[in-house]
Amino acid sequence: MNFSEMEPYKIKMVERLKTTTKKERKKFIKNAKFNLFNLKSENVLIDLLTDSGTNAMSDEQWSEIMLGDESYAGAESYFKLKETIEDLFGFEYFLPTHQGRASENVLFSALIKEGNIIPGNAHFDTTKGHIESRKAEAIDCTIEEASDTTAEHPFKGNVDLNKLQKLFATEDNSNIPFVIITITCNSAGGQPVSMKNIKDVAKICKDNDTMLLFDAARFAENAFFIKEREKGYKSKTIKEIVKEMFSYVDGFTMSCKKDGIVNIGGLIGLRSKDIYQKASTYNIMYEGYLTYGGMAGRDLGALSQGLREATKYSYLQSRIGKVKYLFDKLDSYNIPIQKPAGGHAVFIDAKKFFPQIPQSQFPAQLLGVELYIEGGIRGVEIGTLLADRDPKTGKNRYPDLELLRLAIPRRVYTKNHLDYVANKIKKIYKKREDYNKGLKIVREAPILRHFTVELERL
Ligand SMILES: *Cc1c(COP(=O)(O)O)cnc(C)c1O
């Protein structure tokens, strides 16, 4: 790939970074019970915990904050956003919510019944949570290549069409209210889904009289990968690709904290007036009136502008180029990472990094802890802690992938910051054989334990 290296913006406002010593960080992480979520952000130098809501807004977005219309109903900011959604996605009906999981809560209340089956490509954890809490089942139909970090597949987020077809062949179709494709596929490492795959899944859904939805948090990054990697899309604009992607689906949920380039916000898009009306009732109950949902008027305006900026090619080139920059650095040091580079993060394969630490001792979490101590850098474990226990047996689930994710916030860090990150990882990698013991859990919640888990060194 030939990325333009330069940011298509200059910097008007800056935020101070606070430094700490290694000795202090050892104390901070111990006090945080070796859980990176428990750290105070002021004690983190480079925060790669998530790319969600951590974006830097542009001067034009901040202008929208000032222009926000805070009327309860029919605000101008709402109509601004409506125009953008029609223009970019071609959707007439939409509902604003306060974030992605709220969109799931509202839409799934209208669509999912107990006992339903919801196929998809590695459902995001809150999506799965909102399916399972309704006593329905999320079935992962991602292609096999996704769980092999070394497999070089251009669209590792793709749905396995055979798996999906088999499911439709064996299940009562009325039991499958929709299929959901996550773009890009977060859980499989920010890996994209091809246009052909979207089209093929849409056809299967149509043949079986079932809806197709997007979980569209990183729709623009997905469009960029289609342009770069899929035959026939090189000369298409990101806007054209986005329009085509969304033309195949019946609806979407979106966390706008990612490609919306805002700090909070969510959306639901629908083609069916009937479903829109059903969802509207839940939106009013859970989120707010139809023309603001869970957001302030100013946030609607900033989101409208953010969506337009996120679909600019020069922005995406620099954004994904930066992720690729860190990826290439780590690759050149032979550090085991998920390949090829994804859209929003670099994922270190902790099973390969620390082969001497068994999965029962949380090697990816250990790597996260050591990286914090070494450089004040905060990543997040995507491994055994995140996988929770099997609800039936109560035993730890050991996922195929044991990863430390380094998510890159949009427009926040420079390449110098990423050089620093790469150097610190290299330093740990050089002495990787010195680490012989992992961590053990001393306290955990029954569900979504990774947020609040307390650990100790073995
Ligand atoms: C972040 C995210 C969500 C949930 O959105 P929130 O805004 O965090 O509530 C759902 N799906 C995907 C793919 C996401 O990345």
Side-chain angles (χ1 to χ4, degrees):
M1 258 186 264
N2 180 23
F3 290 104
S4 157
E5 302 282 294
M6 198 165 79
E7 291 87 349
Y9 49 83
K10 55 185 178 174
I11 296 164
K12 189 175 326 218
M13 190 187 282
V14 296
E15 196 178 339
R16 185 172 65 91
L17 287 178
K18 198 188 140 206
T19 53
T20 51
T21 64
K22 206 162 165 178
K23 194 168 156 223
E24 286 172 324
R25 290 194 294 271
K26 279 186 178 159
K27 191 181 80 196
F28 294 145
I29 193 69
K30 189 155 183 267
N31 291 344
K33 314 282 184 201
F34 299 95
N35 180 340
L36 295 149
F37 285 98
N38 285 338
L39 289 169
K40 281 188 180 165
S41 71
E42 65 168 8
N43 295 328
V44 176
L45 185 63
I46 307 287
D47 204 347
L48 308 182
L49 182 73
T50 177
D51 65 322
S52 179
T54 52
N55 309 301
M57 293 205 294
S58 68
D59 52 353
E60 287 175 272
Q61 286 180 287
W62 281 106
S63 305
E64 289 299 333
I65 296 274
M66 292 306 295
L67 294 170
D69 175 358
E70 305 303 338
S71 307
Y72 192 93
E76 208 182 311
S77 308
Y78 167 83
F79 289 104
K80 223 178 239 179
L81 180 59
K82 183 171 169 53
E83 197 184 316
T84 299
I85 289 171
E86 280 179 7
D87 182 33
L88 291 180
F89 309 124
F91 271 71
E92 188 182 350
Y93 301 111
F94 85 98
L95 292 164
T97 66
H98 78 279
Q99 61 183 84
R101 68 200 69 184
S103 300
E104 291 161 359
N105 189 30
V106 167
L107 186 59
F108 294 0
S109 294
L111 295 180
I112 298 181
K113 291 192 187 67
E114 187 174 334
N116 280 171
I117 281 176
I118 317 290
N121 55 339
H123 309 66
F124 186 69
D125 54 6
T126 61
T127 316
K128 202 168 172 175
H130 276 292
I131 292 169
E132 289 177 351
S133 70
R134 289 172 172 81
K135 299 199 163 55
E137 199 183 343
I139 300 210
D140 183 7
C141 297
T142 319
I143 56 168
E144 296 289 331
E145 286 90 335
S147 53
D148 175 1
T149 54
T150 59
E152 286 273 358
H153 187 293
F155 293 101
K156 265 184 166 175
N158 277 359
V159 175
D160 184 325
L161 301 174
N162 284 331
K163 271 191 215 167
L164 186 63
Q165 242 147 359
K166 250 185 217 151
L167 211 58
F168 275 112
T170 51
E171 283 291 329
D172 177 1
N173 289 359
S174 64
N175 208 25
I176 307 180
F178 61 87
V179 173
I180 188 159
I181 304 183
T182 305
I183 48 171
T184 57
C185 188
N186 191 353
S187 312
Q191 298 291 328
V193 179
S194 72
M195 190 74 86
K196 179 167 188 312
N197 193 251
I198 295 168
K199 219 189 291 187
D200 289 344
V201 173
K203 173 144 197 329
I204 294 175
C205 288
K206 199 165 199 172
D207 291 346
N208 291 284
D209 208 17
T210 293
M211 290 203 303
L212 177 60
L213 304 183
F214 274 150
D215 178 353
R218 298 181 183 81
F219 73 96
E221 292 171 7
N222 200 90
F224 179 83
F225 283 115
I226 288 176
K227 184 176 167 77
E228 294 293 320
R229 297 181 183 170
E230 192 162 349
K231 227 176 124 193
Y233 289 92
K234 237 239 134 56
S235 59
K236 292 234 162 50
T237 64
I238 296 293
K239 254 185 93 170
E240 286 168 337
I241 295 171
V242 167
K243 217 21 168 325
E244 184 182 340
M245 281 161 52
F246 280 79
S247 73
Y248 299 118
V249 298
D250 304 289
F252 64 87
T253 55
M254 187 188 294
S255 165
C256 301
K257 299 172 73 175
K258 284 79 171 211
D259 280 352
I261 328 189
V262 287
N263 305 116
I264 194 78
L267 287 175
I268 297 169
L270 289 163
R271 288 202 197 284
S272 152
K273 188 174 181 183
D274 177 48
I275 298 171
Y276 166 76
Q277 285 173 339
K278 273 191 196 131
S280 294
T281 306
Y282 292 107
N283 214 54
I284 292 170
M285 266 164 46
Y286 299 145
E287 291 293 297
Y289 182 65
L290 306 179
T291 59
Y292 72 87
M295 282 192 272
R298 53 180 172 267
D299 291 336
L300 300 173
L303 172 59
S304 170
Q305 175 62 23
L307 288 169
R308 291 188 184 275
E309 291 175 13
T311 44
K312 293 256 184 303
Y313 183 61
S314 57
Y315 156 75
L316 286 165
Q317 245 187 334
S318 148
R319 155 77 180 148
I320 294 181
K322 222 170 255 187
V323 175
K324 180 82 164 38
Y325 179 80
L326 179 61
F327 175 96
D328 285 341
K329 272 250 139 125
L330 296 182
D331 196 30
S332 74
Y333 303 151
N334 293 317
I335 291 163
I337 44 183
Q338 161 82 307
K339 291 179 181 178
H344 66 290
V346 176
F347 297 72
I348 303 178
D349 186 335
K351 270 194 201 167
K352 294 205 174 90
F353 196 103
F354 286 143
Q356 70 276 31
I357 312 274
Q359 252 181 311
S360 58
Q361 294 181 16
F362 313 109
Q365 183 69 12
L366 178 71
L367 182 56
V369 165
E370 299 301 342
L371 187 57
Y372 172 68
I373 293 172
E374 193 64 51
I377 300 156
R378 173 157 71 170
V380 73
E381 192 246 26
I382 308 270
T384 305
L385 279 180
L386 183 74
D388 270 327
R389 288 174 191 276
D390 186 302
K392 287 184 193 121
T393 67
K395 292 218 161 71
N396 271 324
R397 285 191 277 214
Y398 293 111
D400 292 340
L401 295 179
E402 186 77 28
L403 306 169
L404 180 72
R405 184 185 78 176
L406 305 170
I408 319 284
R410 292 165 187 77
R411 304 193 289 209
V412 172
Y413 293 114
T414 66
K415 283 186 180 166
N416 285 332
H417 292 121
L418 299 181
D419 282 339
Y420 171 86
V421 171
N423 282 335
K424 292 297 177 187
I425 296 170
K426 184 176 158 190
K427 199 165 165 196
I428 299 173
Y429 193 58
K430 274 200 174 143
K431 53 176 182 176
R432 64 190 177 280
E433 282 161 13
D434 298 349
Y435 301 89
N436 291 308
K437 287 204 169 82
L439 301 157
K440 72 167 190 201
I441 293 178
V442 290
R443 201 193 71 83
E444 66 182 286
I447 189 168
L448 295 173
R449 67 179 177 183
H450 59 288
F451 287 117
T452 53
V453 71
E454 296 181 359
L455 300 146
E456 253 173 31
R457 283 195 192 271
L458 279 163

